[in-house]
Amino acid sequence: MQTDSVFQVALNTLNHAGKVGGIDERVLAVLQAPKRILNFRIPLKLDNGGFAVFPAYRVHYCDALGPFRDGTRIRPNLTLDEIKALGIFMTIKHCAADIPAGGAKGGIQADPSKLTQNDMERLVRAFVRNLYPRGPWADVPGADIGTGEQAMAWMLDEYEQITGVHCPPAINDKPPILGGSLGGEAATGRGVFTVLKAAAEDRNIKVPGGAAVVQGFGQVGSVLAELLDAEGCKIVAVSDVYGGIVDKNGIDIQKLKAHVANTGKVEGFSGTEPVSNEDLLEIDCDFLVPAAVQSVIHKGNADAVKAKLVVEAANGPVTTEADAVLAKKGIPVIPDVVANSGGATVCHFERTQGLSDQYWDLETVNARLETRILKAYRDAADTATQYDADVRTGAWIHALEKLEKAMKLRGWV
Ligand code: NAD
């Protein structure tokens, strides 16, 4: 099956897990495409006197288990295919993590680096107006690549201006002062760290004294690298979109963060050698964590991967063919829908806090995150054992069993 399309990769996993898990074919038929796609274009007069029309989407993938929920991606090469894939990933991720929510994703094809702050604000507000937002019990947008707390603050304000009601749980990933959760920004990296440690322990791979390679040094990769470093694991290579750096003795992550804050990239950090993003994936190490973009481990390079364990922090970084190659080589892959579900879990906490008007301290958020993500990993691993399958298939079967129950009770299938 052709897998240039990340949505096709998601469908391949869905159909494989459905078959192995004996999931009702009607349930799989419902999940072959999103329930609804909002597809619109946003015209904008730019601050520089120019004009542009930005394609935008909101994919409502499946709401059998609860209201649609999840992020908004703004990037220049954004495609509807990618947003559909992220919509199904979110559907499965919420089920896998026991979160009573449906899966959704939104996006705008635009380059934030070419827009002024004022342009961005008007673009994000226009996006919300085009969604016909219906609130916390219908569809809750959050942040993703190219959006952050500021964009979510504009989204919340626009939503509240439209409805005339203050309603923090209508939008996720907001700043805490507007009702966001503490610990939200670090949640995904922290969750990847927790899952990596549990998966390593299951396989008798030591984290302290181990060697890790992290592709992507953004919100997720940098938090993960910092936590691994603090645990005594050597970070032997990291990268960003401009390239990577390697040091067999371990990179000082605190100093690297300061270097990145000054220069905007990991390249040129003292005591390290440059390495390309491609070569970095082939470094001999204990843990390989792709934490940047999709489809980076594919049939062309999977055979060269030498890590003992691959943990997917990004969404869809390993293609279907690569999964098969890694399995043949005996390299386990801990799938995105479990490993990176920490952000979705804390978004769930954020909505819960907003609905109850009771806000939790950071220790409470982190402790509850750890308990929930460990359960998600354990459920996936146990289901994998039950079906003699890999952890990805186990995670999807576990999620699909819940979707099947919910769809049957609702009378959909
Ligand atoms: P980010 O934008 O903060 O960081 C991304 C990092 O990857 C940056 O260092 C960037 O330079 C680098 N990068 C971008 N393109 C690259 C390429 N082609 N090759 C190598 N490096 C590249 O994003 P993030 O929030 O850290 O998210 C990283 C990944 O994790 C994404 O796939 C995202 O969908 C996924 N994810 C993020 C969250 C979250 O809460 N932030 C939750 C779940 C999944």
Side-chain angles (χ1 to χ4, degrees):
M1 182 72 72
Q2 164 68 19
T3 53
D4 288 348
S5 145
V6 65
F7 181 54
Q8 188 59 56
V9 170
L11 290 185
N12 292 347
T13 309
L14 169 76
N15 293 327
H16 173 69
K19 199 167 158 198
V20 175
I23 301 298
D24 189 324
E25 284 188 4
R26 294 179 183 194
V27 173
L28 299 180
V30 172
L31 292 171
Q32 296 302 307
K35 175 171 182 173
R36 180 185 304 123
I37 299 176
L38 303 174
N39 190 334
F40 48 95
R41 286 153 53 83
I42 303 174
L44 204 70
K45 289 187 232 165
L46 304 173
D47 274 352
N48 65 8
F51 170 78
V53 183
F54 298 101
Y57 315 97
R58 180 84 180 154
V59 167
H60 290 162
Y61 206 95
C62 177
D63 62 348
L65 280 177
F68 293 112
R69 218 185 289 175
D70 206 53
T72 313
R73 182 170 279 200
I74 305 184
R75 68 179 200 101
N77 302 323
L78 184 100
T79 61
L80 178 57
D81 179 90
E82 161 186 5
I83 299 296
K84 281 162 49 181
L86 292 164
I88 190 168
F89 284 143
M90 287 317 303
T91 305
I92 299 298
K93 202 177 294 184
H94 284 143
C95 298
D98 271 341
I99 297 170
K105 203 79 182 188
I108 308 174
Q109 193 193 93
D111 186 346
S113 71
K114 298 211 166 81
L115 298 174
T116 64
Q117 166 104 339
N118 198 13
D119 290 336
M120 270 296 275
E121 176 174 348
R122 287 180 295 115
L123 182 62
V124 165
R125 286 184 184 275
F127 181 75
V128 173
R129 289 196 298 278
N130 277 279
L131 292 183
Y132 311 115
R134 287 180 296 152
W137 296 105
D139 183 13
V140 185
D144 198 274
I145 292 173
T147 51
E149 285 192 344
Q150 177 59 75
M152 294 304 113
W154 292 325
M155 279 202 194
L156 177 68
D157 187 67
E158 190 64 26
Y159 173 81
E160 292 180 344
Q161 301 279 352
I162 292 168
T163 58
V165 190
H166 279 279
C167 187
I171 301 288
N172 267 330
D173 299 307
K174 318 168 283 293
I177 188 78
L178 297 182
S181 180
L182 296 176
E185 284 207 24
T188 302
R190 181 172 287 280
V192 175
F193 172 68
T194 304
V195 169
L196 182 150
K197 278 200 304 179
E201 196 179 325
D202 280 353
R203 292 160 181 82
N204 288 320
I205 311 171
K206 294 248 175 310
V207 175
V213 169
V214 181
Q215 183 183 59
F217 199 67
Q219 191 178 326
V220 178
S222 65
V223 170
L224 170 72
E226 203 172 351
L227 290 169
L228 282 172
D229 190 28
E231 189 82 2
C233 181
K234 279 189 292 186
I235 311 297
V236 294
V238 297
S239 68
D240 56 27
V241 68
Y242 308 106
I245 53 172
V246 60
D247 179 356
K248 274 193 297 194
N249 299 316
I251 297 164
D252 183 327
I253 298 299
Q254 289 306 330
K255 287 190 180 148
L256 176 63
K257 278 179 73 181
H259 169 83
V260 172
N262 282 334
T263 66
K265 41 177 94 163
V266 298
E267 249 173 23
F269 182 56
S270 74
T272 64
E273 297 292 322
V275 62
S276 70
N277 262 304
E278 292 73 36
D279 291 348
L280 168 133
L281 297 168
E282 302 176 9
I283 293 174
D284 200 350
C285 61
D286 295 296
F287 311 110
L288 172 60
V289 185
V293 289
Q294 65 237 23
S295 309
V296 291
I297 303 177
H298 45 76
K299 66 175 180 210
N301 64 4
D303 199 38
V305 171
K306 297 177 194 70
K308 294 195 184 112
L309 179 66
V310 174
V311 182
E312 293 186 326
N315 287 310
V318 179
T319 67
T320 311
E321 293 96 339
D323 236 359
V325 174
L326 294 177
K328 219 180 224 172
K329 285 166 66 84
I331 302 176
V333 177
I334 308 303
D336 45 13
V337 291
V338 170
N340 72 21
S341 66
T345 300
V346 174
C347 276
H348 178 56
F349 296 165
E350 179 176 354
R351 180 172 169 282
T352 303
Q353 291 171 78
L355 288 170
S356 66
D357 226 2
Q358 301 280 331
Y359 293 89
W360 309 346
D361 59 30
L362 184 59
E363 290 69 31
T364 304
V365 172
N366 286 344
R368 291 185 183 184
L369 166 60
E370 183 172 327
T371 305
R372 290 188 70 128
I373 204 162
L374 279 176
K375 179 174 184 304
Y377 167 68
R378 194 52 58 209
D379 284 345
D382 290 350
T383 310
T385 306
Q386 187 189 334
Y387 286 91
D388 192 19
D390 55 43
V391 186
R392 186 189 311 283
T393 307
W396 281 64
I397 292 174
H398 177 67
L400 289 170
E401 285 171 346
K402 287 188 201 168
L403 283 168
E404 181 173 87
K405 259 188 214 149
M407 284 189 200
K408 287 195 167 159
L409 285 166
R410 285 179 184 279
W412 289 5
V413 295

